[in-house]
């Protein structure tokens, strides 16, 4: 028996142990694992060489797969960048329409006032026209200020009043809501108010830490989505922007009475490129961007819907420490 063991050890036992060790390394992820096969022409040596060929093929296939995955990821990033550009262009178009409307209205009155002031008119009418000029210029200045607050800049955490964010977003889409017959309303802890003209009593009650332009863009995305949802509703729909105090968190929501979303689609709405809108109407990035903004602000986005009864997007944000 001792003699048989001594004869088998170099021929069978040691090669099998080396094979088992190489297989363990290969299983652990070391694709360079190989086993010395020698030049003998027997079954064990052939087994070792077959293992080496298999390991080489696995390593080659793994490298090919890594390369294909890298190519696919690169293609996905390029597609994402292209879709983001499309989303930004669409948002720019929405903003441009709002800016044009908000500035064009007072400009007509300003031009009429200027023409009247060129004539000989009573002092009383002159004062009235000068007041009209001042009022129109203030409105234009306010509109430009709202746009500047939405413009991207270096992100620095600061105290942001969500009431002001609501006012800026609502002011930029009010023209569209009016044109489509959609009621744009707002509420705070049960009391309703005009989202474009919130009462002073709400100031400093809903303050978070963050970047105002990012929060503004997120809310604008939600409001535009809601307007899109009720656009085809006969007789116009309603879009509500709400604020509530939930203790350590503040709750900001946008609710519409549009067609709603099927439950199986609801959980996919924040996926990149997924959209329930008609082809060409949506990029599938709006809610993904909102989700990302809230995540960077330590918040959370919760979506809920009932088919035929509307859709609600709720943002939970941590309250800023009181000063």
């Amino acid at each position: 028996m001792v003699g048989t063991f001594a004869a088998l050890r170099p021929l069978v036992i040691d090669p099998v142990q080396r094979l088992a060790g190489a297989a363990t390394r290969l299983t652990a992820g070391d694709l360079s694992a190989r086993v010395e096969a020698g030049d003998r022409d027997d079954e064990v040596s052939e087994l070792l060489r077959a293992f080496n060929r298999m390991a080489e093929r696995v390593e080659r296939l793994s490298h090919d797969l890594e390369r294909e995955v890298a190519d696919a990821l690169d293609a996905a990033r390029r597609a994402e960048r292209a879709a983001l550009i499309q989303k930004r262009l669409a948002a720019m178009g929405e903003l441009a329409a709002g800016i044009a409307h908000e500035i064009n209205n007072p400009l007509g009155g300003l031009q009429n006032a200027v023409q009247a002031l060129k004539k000989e008119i009573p002092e009383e009418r002159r004062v009235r026209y000068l007041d009209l000029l001042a009022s129109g210029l203030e409105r234009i200045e306010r509109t430009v200020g709202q746009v500047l607050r939405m413009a991207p800049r270096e992100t620095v955490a600061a105290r942001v009043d969500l009431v002001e964010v609501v006012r800026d977003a609502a002011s930029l889409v009010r023209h569209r809501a009016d044109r489509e017959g959609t009621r744009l309303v707002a509420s705070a802890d049960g009391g309703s108010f005009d989202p474009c003209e919130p009462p002073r009593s709400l100031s400093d009650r809903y303050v978070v830490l963050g970047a105002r332009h990012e929060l503004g863009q997120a809310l604008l995305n939600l409001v535009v989505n809601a307007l899109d949802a009720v656009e085809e509703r006969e007789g116009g729909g309603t879009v509500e922007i709400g604020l509530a105090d939930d203790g350590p968190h503040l709750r900001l929501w946008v609710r519409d009475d549009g067609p709603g979303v099927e439950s199986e689609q609801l959980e996919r709405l924040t996926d990149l490129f997924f959209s329930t809108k008609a082809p060409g109407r949506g990029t599938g990035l709006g809610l993904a961007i909102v989700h990302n903004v809230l995540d960077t602000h330590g918040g959370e986005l919760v979506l809920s819907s009932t088919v035929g009864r509307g859709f609600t997007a709720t943002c939970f944000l941590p309250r800023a420490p009181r000063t």
Side-chain angles (χ1 to χ4, degrees), residues 98-283:
I99 295 166
H101 178 85
E102 290 297 319
I103 292 180
N104 190 56
N105 278 353
L107 277 180
L110 293 177
Q111 291 171 345
N112 290 336
V114 169
Q115 293 300 323
L117 288 171
K118 290 179 179 179
K119 305 173 183 177
E120 293 293 333
I121 57 176
E123 184 64 22
E124 181 181 348
R125 291 181 61 191
R126 184 181 299 275
V127 171
R128 187 165 68 251
Y129 282 131
L130 288 173
D131 289 341
L132 178 62
L133 284 172
S135 176
L137 291 172
E138 287 175 2
R139 180 174 174 181
I140 293 174
E141 181 183 26
R142 185 168 61 250
T143 301
V144 172
Q146 290 166 346
V147 174
L148 290 176
R149 286 192 291 272
M150 290 282 189
R153 58 180 62 85
E154 184 179 356
T155 301
V156 178
R159 294 178 65 84
V160 179
D161 191 334
L162 293 181
V163 175
E164 296 178 359
V165 174
V166 169
R167 181 192 63 200
D168 290 347
S171 297
L172 290 172
V173 299
R174 169 57 67 84
H175 73 288
R176 175 181 171 181
D178 292 342
R179 183 181 72 241
E180 296 174 356
T182 299
R183 292 179 62 245
L184 190 61
V185 300
S187 64
D189 288 326
S192 61
F193 63 92
D194 182 347
C196 298
E197 298 292 340
R200 294 184 179 274
S201 60
L202 295 179
S203 297
D204 298 324
R205 286 178 55 187
Y206 304 93
V207 178
V208 299
L209 286 179
R212 179 166 178 165
H213 71 278
E214 289 187 1
L215 293 170
Q217 290 172 352
L219 179 59
L220 186 61
N221 264 323
L222 294 178
V223 175
V224 169
N225 280 348
L227 290 172
D228 289 342
V230 301
E231 185 176 9
E232 304 300 327
R233 186 181 177 92
E234 186 176 350
T238 299
V239 173
E240 178 191 1
I241 307 173
L243 285 165
D245 185 345
D246 284 350
H249 288 83
L250 297 176
R251 184 159 42 98
L252 170 65
W253 71 87
V254 176
R255 179 182 298 125
D256 66 69
D257 57 358
V261 177
E262 298 284 349
S263 57
E264 58 268 20
Q265 295 179 327
L266 194 61
E267 61 185 21
R268 297 189 57 197
L269 288 179
T270 56
D271 292 350
L272 284 174
F273 312 121
F274 179 80
S275 176
T276 60
K277 299 178 182 178
R281 291 293 308 275
T283 62

Side-chain angles (χ1 to χ4, degrees), residues 13-36:
I13 298 176
D14 287 347
V16 170
Q17 287 180 338
R18 294 198 303 273
L19 177 62
T24 300
R25 289 168 53 200
L26 186 67
T27 304
D30 182 4
L31 300 183
S32 65
R34 302 290 187 275
V35 59
E36 184 181 349

